[in-house]
Amino acid sequence: MEVAIGHCSRCSIASFPTQYPQASAMLCPSKFLVSEVKGSCATMKMDMAGAAPSGFNKRKKKLSVKCEAAAASNQIGVNQMLVYVPPHPLIKHWVSVLRNEFSPPPIFKSAMAELGRLLIYEASRDWLETIGGEVQTPCGVANVEFIDPREPVKVVPILRAGLVLVEHVSSVLPATQTYHLGFVRNEVTLQPTLYLNKLPDRFPDSSLILVADPMLATGGTIVAAIEELTSRGADVKNLRVVAAVAAPPALKILSEKFPGLRVYTGTIDPGLNEKGSVYCLL
Protein backbone atom coordinates (compact mmCIF):
# COMPACT_ATOMS: atom_id res chain seq x y z
CA MET A 1 0.00 0.00 0.00
CA GLU A 2 1.34 3.41 -0.90
CA VAL A 3 0.61 6.74 0.70
CA ALA A 4 1.96 10.23 0.23
CA ILE A 5 2.99 12.20 3.28
CA GLY A 6 1.95 15.84 3.25
CA HIS A 7 3.98 18.50 5.02
CA CYS A 8 2.87 22.00 6.00
CA SER A 9 5.65 24.34 4.87
CA ARG A 10 5.40 26.38 8.08
CA CYS A 11 5.42 23.69 10.75
CA SER A 12 6.46 20.53 8.85
CA ILE A 13 3.55 18.55 10.17
CA ALA A 14 2.98 15.26 8.37
CA SER A 15 -0.37 13.50 8.39
CA PHE A 16 -0.72 9.73 8.62
CA PRO A 17 -4.49 9.05 8.58
CA THR A 18 -5.72 5.66 9.74
CA GLN A 19 -7.40 5.08 6.37
CA TYR A 20 -5.08 5.11 3.38
CA PRO A 21 -4.62 6.79 0.98
CA GLN A 22 -7.29 9.35 1.96
CA ALA A 23 -6.19 12.19 4.20
CA SER A 24 -8.48 13.82 6.70
CA ALA A 25 -8.17 17.56 7.29
CA MET A 26 -6.18 18.76 10.26
CA LEU A 27 -5.07 21.98 11.87
CA CYS A 28 -1.35 22.59 12.13
CA PRO A 29 0.20 24.32 15.19
CA SER A 30 0.54 27.56 13.24
CA LYS A 31 -3.30 27.62 13.05
CA PHE A 32 -3.48 26.94 9.34
CA LEU A 33 -5.78 24.37 7.83
CA VAL A 34 -3.92 21.56 6.10
CA SER A 35 -6.09 19.80 3.59
CA GLU A 36 -6.02 17.53 0.57
CA VAL A 37 -5.46 19.45 -2.64
CA LYS A 38 -4.41 18.67 -6.18
CA GLY A 39 -0.82 18.96 -7.28
CA SER A 40 2.57 17.59 -6.39
CA CYS A 41 3.93 20.38 -4.15
CA ALA A 42 5.44 19.30 -0.83
CA THR A 43 4.76 15.65 -1.55
CA MET A 44 6.82 12.67 -0.43
CA LYS A 45 5.80 9.27 -1.80
CA MET A 46 6.32 6.33 0.53
CA ASP A 47 5.97 2.57 0.09
CA MET A 48 4.10 1.57 3.25
CA ALA A 49 4.95 -2.09 2.74
CA GLY A 50 8.61 -1.26 3.30
CA ALA A 51 9.75 -2.07 -0.23
CA ALA A 52 12.28 0.04 -2.09
CA PRO A 53 10.75 3.18 -3.59
CA SER A 54 11.13 1.89 -7.13
CA GLY A 55 9.29 3.21 -10.14
CA PHE A 56 9.13 6.79 -8.93
CA ASN A 57 8.38 7.86 -12.50
CA LYS A 58 5.05 6.00 -12.48
CA ARG A 59 1.81 7.84 -11.87
CA LYS A 60 0.67 7.37 -8.29
CA LYS A 61 -1.85 8.95 -5.98
CA LYS A 62 -0.39 12.00 -4.33
CA LEU A 63 -1.21 14.26 -1.46
CA SER A 64 0.05 17.79 -1.15
CA VAL A 65 -0.82 20.34 1.46
CA LYS A 66 -1.37 24.05 1.59
CA CYS A 67 -2.18 26.52 4.35
CA GLU A 68 -5.63 28.08 4.30
CA ALA A 69 -7.83 29.89 6.80
CA ALA A 70 -8.03 28.32 10.24
CA ALA A 71 -11.09 26.24 11.03
CA ALA A 72 -11.74 26.14 14.75
CA SER A 73 -14.06 23.18 14.48
CA ASN A 74 -11.30 20.86 13.29
CA GLN A 75 -10.00 18.51 15.94
CA ILE A 76 -6.53 17.36 14.93
CA GLY A 77 -4.62 14.59 16.54
CA VAL A 78 -7.73 13.10 18.15
CA ASN A 79 -8.41 10.27 15.73
CA GLN A 80 -5.22 10.28 13.72
CA MET A 81 -1.53 10.15 14.42
CA LEU A 82 0.52 13.24 13.66
CA VAL A 83 4.16 13.16 12.60
CA TYR A 84 6.37 16.24 12.91
CA VAL A 85 9.58 16.76 10.96
CA PRO A 86 10.81 20.11 12.37
CA PRO A 87 12.40 22.25 9.62
CA HIS A 88 15.12 23.64 11.89
CA PRO A 89 18.55 23.82 10.16
CA LEU A 90 20.30 22.46 13.25
CA ILE A 91 18.15 19.34 13.12
CA LYS A 92 19.13 18.85 9.48
CA HIS A 93 22.78 19.41 10.44
CA TRP A 94 22.86 16.81 13.22
CA VAL A 95 20.98 14.26 11.11
CA SER A 96 23.62 14.77 8.42
CA VAL A 97 26.41 14.18 10.94
CA LEU A 98 24.70 10.96 12.03
CA ARG A 99 24.42 9.84 8.41
CA ASN A 100 28.11 10.36 7.68
CA GLU A 101 29.93 7.03 7.84
CA PHE A 102 33.15 8.91 8.62
CA SER A 103 31.78 10.45 11.82
CA PRO A 104 33.85 8.93 14.66
CA PRO A 105 31.94 7.41 17.61
CA PRO A 106 32.38 10.46 19.92
CA ILE A 107 31.04 12.81 17.23
CA PHE A 108 28.19 10.42 16.43
CA LYS A 109 27.20 10.23 20.10
CA SER A 110 27.36 14.00 20.47
CA ALA A 111 25.24 14.50 17.34
CA MET A 112 22.59 12.08 18.62
CA ALA A 113 22.45 13.89 21.97
CA GLU A 114 22.14 17.32 20.32
CA LEU A 115 19.46 16.05 17.95
CA GLY A 116 17.59 14.63 20.92
CA ARG A 117 17.73 17.97 22.71
CA LEU A 118 16.18 19.76 19.72
CA LEU A 119 13.48 17.15 19.16
CA ILE A 120 12.52 17.20 22.84
CA TYR A 121 12.26 20.99 22.64
CA GLU A 122 9.92 20.68 19.65
CA ALA A 123 7.90 17.91 21.29
CA SER A 124 7.27 20.04 24.38
CA ARG A 125 5.40 22.78 22.49
CA ASP A 126 1.79 23.21 23.69
CA TRP A 127 2.27 20.23 25.99
CA LEU A 128 3.60 21.34 29.36
CA GLU A 129 1.43 22.68 32.16
CA THR A 130 2.41 26.05 33.63
CA ILE A 131 1.58 27.89 36.83
CA GLY A 132 1.43 31.66 37.21
CA GLY A 133 3.07 33.78 39.87
CA GLU A 134 5.04 36.90 40.63
CA VAL A 135 8.77 37.50 41.01
CA GLN A 136 10.73 40.48 42.21
CA THR A 137 12.93 41.95 39.48
CA PRO A 138 15.50 44.73 39.94
CA CYS A 139 12.86 47.14 38.61
CA GLY A 140 9.73 45.84 40.31
CA VAL A 141 7.29 42.94 40.39
CA ALA A 142 6.67 40.90 37.22
CA ASN A 143 3.99 38.39 36.41
CA VAL A 144 5.60 35.12 35.32
CA GLU A 145 4.82 31.53 34.39
CA PHE A 146 6.77 28.46 35.44
CA ILE A 147 6.53 24.84 34.35
CA ASP A 148 4.49 23.07 37.02
CA PRO A 149 7.03 20.96 38.99
CA ARG A 150 4.22 18.89 40.49
CA GLU A 151 3.68 17.21 37.11
CA PRO A 152 7.11 15.99 35.94
CA VAL A 153 7.31 14.55 32.45
CA LYS A 154 7.87 10.80 32.50
CA VAL A 155 10.87 10.11 30.24
CA VAL A 156 11.14 6.57 28.86
CA PRO A 157 14.27 5.85 26.80
CA ILE A 158 14.29 2.49 25.04
CA LEU A 159 17.64 0.91 25.85
CA ARG A 160 20.27 1.17 24.95
CA ALA A 161 20.40 3.69 22.13
CA GLY A 162 17.52 5.70 23.52
CA LEU A 163 19.69 6.81 26.44
CA VAL A 164 21.80 9.06 24.21
CA LEU A 165 18.72 10.66 22.65
CA VAL A 166 17.58 11.89 26.09
CA GLU A 167 21.05 12.70 27.43
CA HIS A 168 20.24 16.43 27.59
CA VAL A 169 16.59 16.12 28.60
CA SER A 170 17.18 17.90 31.93
CA SER A 171 18.51 20.94 30.08
CA VAL A 172 15.17 21.24 28.23
CA LEU A 173 12.54 20.01 30.68
CA PRO A 174 12.69 21.47 34.21
CA ALA A 175 10.93 18.54 35.89
CA THR A 176 11.33 14.91 34.79
CA GLN A 177 11.21 11.34 36.02
CA THR A 178 13.05 8.65 34.07
CA TYR A 179 11.97 5.03 33.62
CA HIS A 180 13.82 2.49 31.50
CA LEU A 181 12.62 -0.11 29.03
CA GLY A 182 15.04 -2.54 27.38
CA PHE A 183 14.28 -4.45 24.19
CA VAL A 184 16.44 -6.68 22.01
CA ARG A 185 15.41 -7.46 18.44
CA ASN A 186 15.70 -10.91 16.94
CA GLU A 187 17.58 -10.27 13.70
CA VAL A 188 15.89 -13.23 12.01
CA THR A 189 12.24 -12.66 12.95
CA LEU A 190 12.73 -8.90 13.55
CA GLN A 191 10.51 -9.26 16.65
CA PRO A 192 11.43 -7.49 19.92
CA THR A 193 11.92 -9.19 23.28
CA LEU A 194 11.62 -7.27 26.55
CA TYR A 195 14.60 -7.82 28.85
CA LEU A 196 14.31 -4.85 31.24
CA ASN A 197 11.22 -3.12 32.61
CA LYS A 198 11.55 -0.36 35.18
CA LEU A 199 8.12 1.19 34.65
CA PRO A 200 5.85 1.89 37.64
CA ASP A 201 2.93 -0.44 38.25
CA ARG A 202 0.58 2.39 37.33
CA PHE A 203 1.06 5.85 35.86
CA PRO A 204 -0.91 8.68 37.47
CA ASP A 205 -3.85 9.95 35.47
CA SER A 206 -2.96 12.49 32.76
CA SER A 207 0.77 11.68 32.97
CA LEU A 208 2.82 13.25 30.17
CA ILE A 209 5.17 10.58 28.80
CA LEU A 210 8.08 11.09 26.40
CA VAL A 211 9.37 7.94 24.68
CA ALA A 212 12.78 7.97 22.97
CA ASP A 213 13.79 5.46 20.29
CA PRO A 214 16.43 6.60 17.78
CA MET A 215 15.22 4.51 14.83
CA LEU A 216 11.62 3.61 13.99
CA ALA A 217 12.04 0.95 11.32
CA THR A 218 9.62 -2.00 11.36
CA GLY A 219 7.82 -0.51 14.36
CA GLY A 220 7.97 -3.68 16.46
CA THR A 221 9.94 -2.22 19.36
CA ILE A 222 8.10 1.10 19.64
CA VAL A 223 4.71 -0.64 19.41
CA ALA A 224 5.71 -3.08 22.16
CA ALA A 225 6.92 -0.17 24.31
CA ILE A 226 3.70 1.83 23.90
CA GLU A 227 1.58 -1.25 24.61
CA GLU A 228 3.55 -1.73 27.83
CA LEU A 229 2.91 1.89 28.77
CA THR A 230 -0.80 1.82 28.01
CA SER A 231 -1.19 -1.41 30.02
CA ARG A 232 -0.04 0.65 33.02
CA GLY A 233 -2.52 3.47 32.58
CA ALA A 234 -0.77 5.72 30.07
CA ASP A 235 -3.03 7.65 27.70
CA VAL A 236 -1.83 7.62 24.07
CA LYS A 237 -2.96 11.23 23.66
CA ASN A 238 -0.45 12.22 26.36
CA LEU A 239 2.40 10.29 24.73
CA ARG A 240 5.04 11.84 22.50
CA VAL A 241 7.70 9.86 20.67
CA VAL A 242 11.05 11.29 19.58
CA ALA A 243 13.21 9.49 17.03
CA ALA A 244 16.26 10.40 14.98
CA VAL A 245 14.85 8.69 11.88
CA ALA A 246 11.58 6.99 11.01
CA ALA A 247 10.42 4.77 8.15
CA PRO A 248 6.90 4.36 6.71
CA PRO A 249 6.33 0.77 7.94
CA ALA A 250 6.76 1.89 11.56
CA LEU A 251 4.65 5.01 11.07
CA LYS A 252 1.91 3.02 9.38
CA ILE A 253 1.55 0.50 12.19
CA LEU A 254 1.74 3.25 14.83
CA SER A 255 -1.02 5.21 13.13
CA GLU A 256 -3.24 2.13 12.94
CA LYS A 257 -2.72 1.07 16.55
CA PHE A 258 -2.43 4.42 18.34
CA PRO A 259 -4.61 7.23 16.91
CA GLY A 260 -3.85 10.48 18.69
CA LEU A 261 -0.14 9.72 19.07
CA ARG A 262 2.42 12.36 18.11
CA VAL A 263 5.82 11.48 16.67
CA TYR A 264 8.75 13.90 16.32
CA THR A 265 11.56 12.77 14.05
CA GLY A 266 14.62 14.28 12.44
CA THR A 267 13.85 12.75 9.05
CA ILE A 268 11.68 10.18 7.29
CA ASP A 269 13.43 7.55 5.17
CA PRO A 270 11.79 6.06 2.06
CA GLY A 271 11.71 2.45 3.30
CA LEU A 272 13.60 -0.52 4.75
CA ASN A 273 16.33 -2.78 3.46
CA GLU A 274 16.29 -6.59 3.49
CA LYS A 275 17.51 -6.56 7.11
CA GLY A 276 14.59 -4.48 8.32
CA SER A 277 16.63 -1.31 8.80
CA VAL A 278 16.21 2.12 7.23
CA TYR A 279 18.00 2.50 3.89
CA CYS A 280 20.47 5.18 4.93
CA LEU A 281 21.02 3.70 8.39
CA LEU A 282 22.64 5.61 11.22
Side-chain angles (χ1 to χ4, degrees), residues 189-247:
T189 65
L190 304 182
Q191 296 302 308
T193 300
L194 179 67
Y195 69 87
L196 178 70
N197 188 339
K198 293 297 184 179
L199 298 179
D201 293 334
R202 192 77 181 172
F203 284 101
D205 293 342
S206 302
S207 291
L208 302 181
I209 303 176
L210 181 77
V211 185
D213 189 3
M215 186 168 67
L216 307 181
T218 63
T221 298
I222 189 63
V223 167
I226 295 177
E227 288 177 341
E228 191 66 37
L229 291 167
T230 54
S231 71
R232 296 165 186 260
D235 186 345
V236 170
K237 295 178 178 59
N238 291 329
L239 286 177
R240 301 206 171 180
V241 176
V242 294
V245 59

Side-chain angles (χ1 to χ4, degrees), residues 99 112 158 161-162 165 185 212-222 242-247 250 265 269 272 275-282:
R99 296 289 207 198
M112 184 69 78
I158 298 179
L165 205 57
R185 188 174 79 159
D213 189 3
M215 186 168 67
L216 307 181
T218 63
T221 298
I222 189 63
V242 294
V245 59
T265 181
D269 264 19
L272 304 179
K275 296 181 179 180
S277 296
V278 295
Y279 282 120
C280 297
L281 297 177
L282 289 178

